[in-house]
Amino acid sequence: RMPPVQWIETLEPRTLLAAHLVITKGGTYRGSFTSNDWLVPVITIKTSQPVVLDGCVLHGPGDLIVTAVDHAKVTIRNCWGYGVRPNIAGRSEGRFLSAERFDNIDVEYNHIENTRGIHLLTYLGNRTSAQTIKINHNHAHNIDGRKSDGHGGVLAFNIRVSRKDGHSEYGWDFAQFVQLDKVNRVPGIEIGNNEVINDPIDS
């Protein structure tokens, strides 16, 4: 059974977080939201109307923000997104934002912690500067695709090959600050003044 949906709440210091958020209507949304399920995004956007996430605090082991409709128009600003190690063997943290078949994405002045970054797949906009991609002035700490070992740690290999049957096993999922896929001939794209810091780890 899915947890109850908390629609909009004021952003205040707190220790308890509201449930995950499903957005079906355009507007500006603020608040603190969480998901404890790797399969359930913290925020799911199910409207093609413009949506603004402003000052949100997000925690979750899977994707933090996902679009689930064609022609999404999403602005994310002044938000804090925290990925949580899922502690499920073979699973890695999710994306800060995963948007597919979108019109406009604006991601600015956010703090992104322990996620696999931003993945944008298939631009459907009108190819004007009003429907484009802007990813500016964000701070990302530890873009991480390492898979969990299921015991509180991560798998200690990149790729290993079975001597028995020769199949390969990967200890990571793809991760990058931002990936553009099937995004062609889009005017006005801006990606700049972002800071990405990955801490060193013991080998």
Side-chain angles (χ1 to χ4, degrees):
R1 183 178 179 182
M2 300 292 286
V5 174
Q6 177 70 42
W7 288 104
I8 304 176
E9 60 176 47
T10 58
L11 180 62
E12 300 172 352
R14 65 191 66 200
T15 55
L16 295 177
L17 300 176
H20 72 282
L21 174 65
V22 178
I23 296 176
T24 59
K25 182 179 179 181
T28 299
Y29 295 79
R30 300 181 177 92
S32 298
F33 306 98
T34 191
S35 170
N36 295 316
D37 189 334
W38 186 83
L39 295 173
V40 179
V42 177
I43 294 180
T44 303
I45 298 171
K46 293 186 175 182
T47 178
S48 60
Q49 298 172 354
V51 169
V52 178
L53 304 177
D54 187 2
C56 295
V57 180
L58 314 174
H59 291 79
D63 292 331
L64 301 185
I65 305 166
V66 169
T67 62
V69 67
D70 287 358
H71 299 287
K73 304 168 186 68
V74 181
T75 297
I76 307 167
R77 63 191 183 208
N78 303 314
C79 292
W80 295 71
Y82 297 94
V84 178
R85 181 115 18 229
N87 206 28
I88 301 171
R91 301 295 190 185
S92 60
E93 288 102 338
R95 300 280 189 176
F96 174 71
L97 169 65
S98 179
E100 297 186 11
R101 301 178 62 81
F102 61 90
D103 282 1
N104 189 72
I105 299 292
D106 189 345
V107 181
E108 301 190 85
Y109 297 98
N110 302 286
H111 179 84
I112 302 168
E113 186 91 16
N114 294 328
T115 75
R116 290 195 291 120
I118 298 166
H119 183 223
L120 305 181
L121 172 63
T122 309
Y123 172 82
L124 295 182
N126 60 13
R127 303 192 188 283
T128 70
S129 58
Q131 294 187 355
T132 186
I133 297 167
K134 295 183 180 181
I135 302 174
N136 297 314
H137 307 291
N138 300 285
H139 174 78
H141 183 218
N142 289 339
I143 301 297
D144 191 354
R146 294 174 298 164
K147 294 180 179 179
S148 171
D149 62 7
H151 302 287
V154 294
L155 297 179
F157 61 88
N158 285 330
I159 303 173
R160 65 183 180 186
V161 180
S162 171
R163 292 181 178 178
K164 182 177 180 180
D165 58 17
H167 82 275
S168 298
E169 181 181 1
Y170 290 80
W172 49 269
D173 287 316
F174 287 110
Q176 56 285 115
F177 172 64
V178 59
Q179 179 182 359
L180 307 181
D181 189 355
K182 297 180 177 62
V183 176
N184 304 311
R185 296 180 291 110
V186 181
I189 292 178
E190 297 179 10
I191 302 176
N193 296 306
N194 300 288
E195 181 181 60
V196 181
I197 298 175
N198 287 337
D199 293 336
I201 59 173
D202 295 331
S203 58

